[in-house]
Amino acid sequence: MSELYLGMISGTSIDGVDAVLVDFGDRSCRVVEASTTPFPPQLLARVRRIVEIPQTELRDLGALDHAVGSFFADCALDLIARAGVQREAVHAVGHHGQTIFHEPSGSEPFSMQIGDPNIVAATTGLCTVADFRRLDIAFGGQGAPLVPAFHAWCFGAASAARAVVNIGGIANITALQPGRPATGFDTGPGNTLLDLWVRRHRGADYDRDGAWAASGRVDAALLAAFLTEPYFSAPAPKSTGRELFNMNWLDARLAQHSTTAPADVQATLAELTATTIVASVAQAVRECKQLIICGGGAHNGDLMTRLRRLGGISVDTTAAFGIAPDWVEGAAFAWLARARLRSEAGNVPTVTGARRAAILGGVYLSSAPKPF
Ligand SMILES: Nc1ncnc2c1ncn2[C@@H]1O[C@H](COP(=O)(O)OP(=O)(O)O)[C@@H](O)[C@H]1O
Ligand SMILES: [Mg+2]
């Protein structure tokens, strides 16, 4: 069997749209072509503004939903052209969009993504599956993380316990233990605070290879102050985003701390990411034998070194399993579109805390309707 699906997501880092064309077999998949396309500067500024200061006119929100939808559609068409496949050969698009607000707890929980899927369907002419998170929330879940079902499908067949660690803007783990359902949750900041701090002090989008963090020294008192954040000790299910871990969060903690050199803050933030991941794995996985890393953090050599040192277990990237770390999340949304069309569960209730497994996503069809 061979079935092409195209998955797309722009994560909390807002570094661009990952578009991944995946060929699914019965129990395996292969990335056919993939790309990350940064938002054009003006669109990036609009997306960042709404994420960083979540206040806007409804008209601007509607227009941004349209603009982001158009951009995702272009990314899909570009990828199909690059892959040299017939557009009709693509079964469906799994379209996550861009999260602009994630509030999974409280009396009126929600998770909000923009990038109108109607535009993706109309522009690409392809069946588009979107709005993956909200049915899980309606069933009492966090609506996140949603990648664990795919992680379990892809990386789960092992005799020893392992954890898949996705280090995007936010980091999340999937615990894969033989004979047990997958568990997992967001561990807290992945790259997001590292990105914000290096942007403020060095004007760079990110700390390439973690070189700046590696040049600094961990401030133990500052790390301890970071770790008092209640999110880290809260029980799963839990998920988080830039609503919590943002510049205000960091500035508030730094304000209560005697001065630390910027490079030392960066080192301490890298240690925070590594420490919270390792502590989460220790809590979620009995006798974990292996960490399998994906997401942009897999390219951060300093972060990988910290994980190896703190975890004391083997650390590989998903490349060792045939999927480059940059494409796992996009591939997961291709997989989720496939699950939707097969009427299979997209969520893992032991991860999200939903009352039950659910078929996730709304289907947006572009095909011509039958006549009356
Ligand atoms: N070579 C690199 N060195 C250090 N960090 C990197 C590198 N490449 C990517 N990253 C980090 O990965 C982030 C993007 O990761 P990604 O998995 O796309 O996150 P998200 O899902 O939040 O978009 C970047 O913002 C950056 O912090
Ligand atoms: Mg990204």
Side-chain angles (χ1 to χ4, degrees):
M1 198 187 70
S2 167
E3 263 182 339
L4 290 177
Y5 284 85
L6 199 163
M8 291 194 289
I9 179 166
S10 170
T12 45
S13 303
I14 325 182
D15 59 318
V17 172
D18 299 335
V20 185
L21 187 63
V22 187
D23 191 4
F24 286 97
D26 274 337
R27 281 299 322 170
S28 64
C29 65
R30 179 178 68 87
V31 173
V32 176
E33 188 70 68
S35 62
T36 300
T37 314
F39 288 101
Q42 284 202 342
L43 188 56
L44 175 64
R46 289 164 75 191
V47 174
R48 270 199 186 148
R49 199 178 312 129
I50 201 169
V51 167
E52 285 166 12
I53 308 165
Q55 290 163 4
T56 189
E57 297 277 333
L58 288 181
R59 174 179 296 163
D60 294 338
L61 176 60
L64 189 56
D65 186 37
H66 183 115
V68 170
S70 293
F71 185 62
F72 269 85
D74 291 345
C75 292
L77 289 175
D78 285 351
L79 186 74
I80 291 168
R82 271 180 50 172
V85 299
Q86 293 290 324
R87 197 170 45 88
E88 300 72 33
V90 179
H91 232 75
V93 175
H95 170 47
H96 174 271
Q98 173 72 56
T99 296
I100 56 168
F101 212 93
H102 183 66
E103 181 115 303
S105 309
S107 59
E108 295 173 338
F110 67 94
S111 186
M112 194 178 283
Q113 284 75 41
I114 56 170
D116 185 358
N118 296 284
I119 294 174
V120 177
T123 307
T124 63
L126 294 170
C127 169
T128 298
V129 186
D131 190 9
F132 288 99
R133 301 195 186 273
R134 295 196 298 172
L135 187 57
D136 183 82
I137 291 179
F139 279 124
Q142 295 277 309
L146 290 183
V147 286
F150 176 63
H151 289 166
W153 187 82
C154 237
F155 309 115
S159 51
R162 47 169 64 154
V164 184
V165 185
N166 176 28
I167 311 178
I170 297 297
N172 60 269
I173 59 164
T174 304
L176 300 171
Q177 303 177 86
R180 303 178 62 180
T183 58
F185 50 89
D186 286 350
T187 62
N191 299 297
T192 191
L193 299 176
L194 293 165
D195 286 359
L196 288 171
W197 192 247
V198 80
R199 187 175 311 141
R200 179 188 279 184
H201 285 274
R202 309 200 115 193
D205 282 337
Y206 60 89
D207 180 10
R208 186 172 289 274
D209 201 27
W212 191 41
S215 76
R217 273 189 328 187
V218 173
D219 180 327
L222 184 59
L223 179 62
F226 288 161
L227 288 169
T228 60
E229 162 58 49
Y231 182 84
F232 297 129
S233 47
K238 59 179 176 176
S239 60
T240 188
R242 289 169 63 139
E243 302 74 21
L244 174 62
F245 293 109
N246 54 32
M247 213 61 206
N248 291 340
W249 185 93
L250 182 53
D251 281 337
R253 276 137 195 93
L254 289 173
Q256 297 181 347
H257 196 78
S258 53
T259 16
T260 306
D264 294 349
V265 173
Q266 188 75 349
T268 309
L269 289 172
E271 192 78 359
L272 175 69
T273 292
T275 303
T276 48
I277 287 172
V278 167
S280 301
V281 169
Q283 183 195 325
V285 194
R286 215 175 299 150
E287 292 184 32
C288 186
K289 295 282 185 254
Q290 186 180 31
L291 296 186
I292 309 173
I293 314 290
C294 58
H299 300 298
N300 183 328
D302 170 68
L303 203 49
M304 294 291 277
T305 303
R306 291 178 199 275
L307 286 171
R308 289 200 169 92
R309 176 170 50 74
L310 290 168
I313 50 178
S314 85
V315 178
D316 298 292
T317 78
T318 52
F321 296 80
I323 305 188
D326 292 326
W327 312 134
V328 176
E329 211 174 14
F333 282 92
W335 185 89
L336 282 162
R338 176 178 176 267
R340 169 65 187 84
L341 297 185
R342 294 161 64 107
S343 301
E344 292 171 358
N347 62 343
V348 180
T350 44
V351 171
T352 65
R355 285 191 289 284
R356 41 164 274 210
I359 303 164
L360 301 183
V363 178
Y364 298 74
L365 295 171
S366 68
S367 47
K370 287 183 189 151
F372 286 114

